[in-house]
């Protein structure tokens, strides 16, 4: 047996979906406005995971420009059928004239490339696919009820899909409008078949504290469906906001080759009060069956802190590039995500993301050194800044630990007067913290800024410390800017010298709204002025503390 600690994927990896293929398991999660989008993970045994790529990763595949924070890619479903991987999802809030809504992409290799999207002519979001034994393919999803019995009542619809043409049948069946009277947002539907019965798995209650997992069953795929008397079959809402994990829901099921069943679900880990800066994370849940119904986390009824997975594997072969990191612990030797040595985050690390467009649109890896090591990036300074729903010069990774130290070594000789570059703790366009070097005709200025609800406050501003100026004369325009966290106490620093403190509670989704955890990264901008400047990110380190 291998003991796997939860969460399975730390940081903002919400809305997990998984499937099993001949060579193992594959998992995907939502990414909203970040690019590349839809990270694909692989495991041979449910215990050891590696990221192998992204499903949306190239120019022209999808248009994200203008999509606001917490818009974009919502709630994917991944399925495998007869040698092909299928992924259905929703692109929310596209700019006017750009394609959006529900789409289907496919791949024979889940590491990519994935196809261009086939846009599906159906309303709503959270689509899913079900391949029935008779060869029919069923698309199902969620939307608000046109004439609801109560506010925010939604319904699960079902239509047949032609995979060859991408045409969705006009004939529609409403499968479900919620397990509970007054239950809101019955969403995230997934259909399964077991022992001749059909099962409809859904989430209900919204994505915050009241989130839950519901299930219904029927003798035919089109219903009628009867709810499990035990609903909700998984939730933490009765534990209160002080529980170690809250908001549990949005589950997906998979059967292992040995006949055991497993689920992934999202949840949030609050700390410093009812705040969850890491966002919605992915958890692994054991499942058994009793009297024709699944039992999630049998004997516990809640997400387990650790899961015993029946495997003798010691590690997933290959796959050194993976985003989800666990703190150094027993998990790194007995399960979890592969290739997760804390420290330097090189350009080939799949944790890196940009906003709304490929990283290559503004950055390139540094040439390898004599030892073959490639540690950093060269970034073009761009007029766009972090407050605009476009693609600024921003590179970031998810915050994946409550306490961490991140340090960016930046070479800024290429900055022109009026330009700035530095580090950022990002929630959205309207909510972020920056520590940056501003190039002025009189010399460089170090400035820490807090942006909340679109209003900016300078929390520290002064010339670079004399010690740093002397170092720059000897070593070039190198600065080491840092962001650290000890739970909700964040600190900004230069070369290890404290500059400003920030209360992290102002940045989580309880305070700001939306659906995202925090990202930590670097940026560069000319604040609207034309520019040909570049900067160099020579090294970026991220270490759990």
């Amino acid at each position: 047996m291998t003991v796997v600690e939860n969460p399975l994927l730390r940081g903002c990896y919400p809305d997990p979906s998984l499937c099993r293929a001949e060579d193992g398991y594959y998992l995907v999660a939502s990414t909203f406005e970040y690019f590349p989008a839809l990270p694909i993970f692989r495991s041979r045994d449910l215990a050891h995971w590696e990221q192998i790529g992204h499903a949306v990763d190239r120019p022209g595949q999808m248009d994200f420009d203008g999509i606001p924070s917490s818009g974009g890619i919502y709630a994917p479903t991944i399925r495998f059928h007869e040698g092909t991987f299928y992924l259905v999802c929703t692109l929310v809030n596209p700019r006017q004239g750009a394609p959006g809504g529900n789409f289907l992409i496919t791949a024979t290799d889940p590491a990519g490339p994935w196809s261009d999207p086939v846009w599906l002519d159906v309303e709503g979001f959270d689509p899913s696919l079900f391949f029935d034994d008779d060869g029919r393919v069923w698309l199902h999803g969620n939307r608000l009820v046109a004439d609801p019995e109560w506010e925010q009542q939604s319904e699960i619809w079902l239509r047949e899909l032609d995979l060859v043409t991408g045409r969705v049948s006009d004939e529609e069946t409403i499968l479900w409008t919620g397990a509970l009277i007054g239950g809101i947002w019955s969403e995230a539907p997934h259909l399964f078949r077991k022992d001749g019965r059909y099962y409809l798995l859904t989430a209900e209650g919204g994505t915050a504290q009241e989130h839950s997992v519901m299930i219904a069953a029927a003798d035919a795929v089109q219903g009628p469906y009867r709810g499990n008397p035990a609903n909700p079959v998984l939730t933490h809402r009765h534990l209160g906001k002080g529980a170690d994990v809250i908001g549990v829901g949005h589950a997906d099921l998979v059967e292992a080759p040995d006949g055991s069943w497993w689920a992934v679900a999202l949840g949030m880990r609050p700390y410093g009060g009812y705040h969850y800066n890491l966002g919605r994370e992915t958890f692994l849940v054991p499942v058994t069956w009793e009297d024709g119904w699944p039992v999630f986390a049998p004997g516990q009824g809640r997400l387990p802190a650790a899961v015993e997975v029946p495997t003798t594997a010691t590690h997933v072969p290959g796959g050194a590039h993976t985003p989800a990191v666990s703190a150094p612990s027993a998990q790194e030797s007995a399960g979890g995500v592969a290739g997760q040595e804390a420290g330097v985050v090189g350009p080939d690390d799949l944790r890196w993301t940009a906003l709304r467009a490929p990283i290559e649109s503004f950055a390139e890896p540094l040439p390898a050194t004599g030892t073959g090591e490639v540690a950093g990036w060269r970034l073009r300074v761009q007029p766009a800044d972090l407050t605009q729903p476009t693609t600024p010069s921003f590179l970031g990774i998810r915050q994946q630990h409550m306490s961490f130290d991140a340090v960016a070594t930046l070479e800024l000789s290429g900055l022109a007067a009026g330009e700035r570059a530095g580090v950022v703790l990002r929630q959205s366009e309207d909510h972020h913290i920056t520590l940056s070097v501003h190039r002025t005709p009189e010399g460089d200025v170090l400035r820490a800024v807090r942006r909340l609800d679109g209003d900016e406050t300078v929390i520290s501003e002064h010339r670079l410390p004399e010690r740093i100026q002397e170092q720059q004369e000897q070593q070039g325009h190198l600065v080491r800017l840092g962001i650290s966290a000890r739970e909700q106490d964040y600190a900004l620093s230069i070369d290890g010298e404290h500059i400003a403190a920030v209360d992290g509670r102002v940045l989580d989704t309880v305070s700001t709204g939306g659906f995202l955890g925090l990202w930590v990264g670097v940026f560069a901008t000319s604040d609207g002025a034309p520019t040909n400047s570049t900067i160099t990110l020579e090294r970026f380190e991220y270490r759990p503390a």
Side-chain angles (χ1 to χ4, degrees), residues 438 440-446 461-466 469:
H438 293 238
T440 75
E442 295 76 28
D444 287 347
V445 173
L446 186 66
E461 181 177 78
H462 49 75
R463 298 287 181 188
L464 292 183
E466 291 186 9
Q469 295 182 44

Side-chain angles (χ1 to χ4, degrees), residues 365-377:
L366 294 179
T369 64
T371 63
E373 179 185 5
V374 180
W377 294 89

Side-chain angles (χ1 to χ4, degrees), residues 50-116:
E50 58 174 338
Q51 187 179 353
I52 58 174
H54 291 85
V56 177
D57 63 355
R58 63 181 182 270
Q61 194 177 9
M62 215 165 287
D63 187 352
F64 283 42
D65 190 46
I67 290 176
S69 287
S70 289
I73 292 290
Y74 276 36
T77 297
I78 188 169
R79 295 292 183 257
F80 177 76
H81 182 68
E82 295 183 349
T84 299
F85 289 86
Y86 297 85
L87 195 156
V88 286
C89 193
T90 312
L91 181 65
V92 177
N93 299 131
R95 63 180 176 83
Q96 187 173 4
N102 295 293
F103 63 88
L104 167 70
I105 55 177
T106 61
T108 54
D109 182 349
W114 288 75
S115 70
D116 287 338

Side-chain angles (χ1 to χ4, degrees), residues 308-321:
E308 288 189 351
V309 177
T311 174
T312 57
T314 57
H315 212 276
V316 174
H321 316 309

Side-chain angles (χ1 to χ4, degrees), residues 96-325:
Q96 187 173 4
N102 295 293
F103 63 88
L104 167 70
I105 55 177
T106 61
T108 54
D109 182 349
W114 288 75
S115 70
D116 287 338
V118 174
W119 298 99
L120 304 173
D121 186 18
V122 288
E123 295 180 274
F125 52 91
D126 289 13
S128 187
L129 280 178
F130 174 63
F131 295 86
D132 208 346
D133 295 343
D134 61 3
R136 302 175 79 180
V137 182
W138 296 96
L139 179 70
H140 42 294
N142 161 68
R143 66 176 177 235
L144 286 170
V145 175
D147 186 18
E149 299 174 70
W150 55 81
E151 187 177 358
Q152 295 183 318
Q153 183 187 22
S154 59
E155 61 190 11
I156 308 301
W157 49 261
L158 179 76
R159 294 190 184 190
E160 194 169 358
L161 173 65
D162 186 327
L163 290 177
V164 176
T165 65
R167 184 182 181 278
V168 182
S169 171
D170 293 332
E171 183 181 344
E172 180 180 86
T173 303
I174 302 302
L175 301 184
W176 198 244
T177 57
L180 301 180
I181 295 175
I184 65 172
W185 292 113
S186 181
E187 56 191 13
H190 296 302
L191 281 169
F192 305 91
R193 191 174 186 184
K194 183 180 186 298
D195 299 331
R197 297 181 80 199
Y198 294 86
Y199 291 88
L200 174 64
L201 188 72
T202 68
E204 194 167 306
T207 58
Q209 169 64 12
E210 291 76 26
H211 212 28
S212 61
V213 179
M214 307 289 189
I215 195 161
D219 294 326
V221 67
Q222 292 171 294
Y225 283 83
R226 178 177 64 88
N228 187 343
N231 278 329
V233 290
L234 182 65
T235 187
H236 281 204
R237 60 190 182 190
H238 59 295
L239 301 177
K241 294 181 177 180
D244 56 346
V245 182
I246 61 173
V248 175
H250 205 115
D252 199 1
L253 283 166
V254 69
E255 183 181 10
D258 64 359
S260 63
W261 284 74
W262 303 86
V264 288
L266 67 78
M268 299 91 79
R269 294 182 291 159
Y271 57 103
Y274 183 61
H275 299 277
Y276 38 92
N277 297 42
L278 302 181
R280 296 175 296 159
E281 303 174 286
T282 290
F283 292 76
L284 182 66
V285 191
V287 177
T288 60
W289 289 79
E290 295 180 3
D291 302 322
W293 295 105
V295 178
F296 289 72
Q300 290 180 274
R302 55 175 295 170
L303 289 181
V307 180
E308 288 189 351
V309 177
T311 174
T312 57
T314 57
H315 212 276
V316 174
H321 316 309
T322 164
V325 10

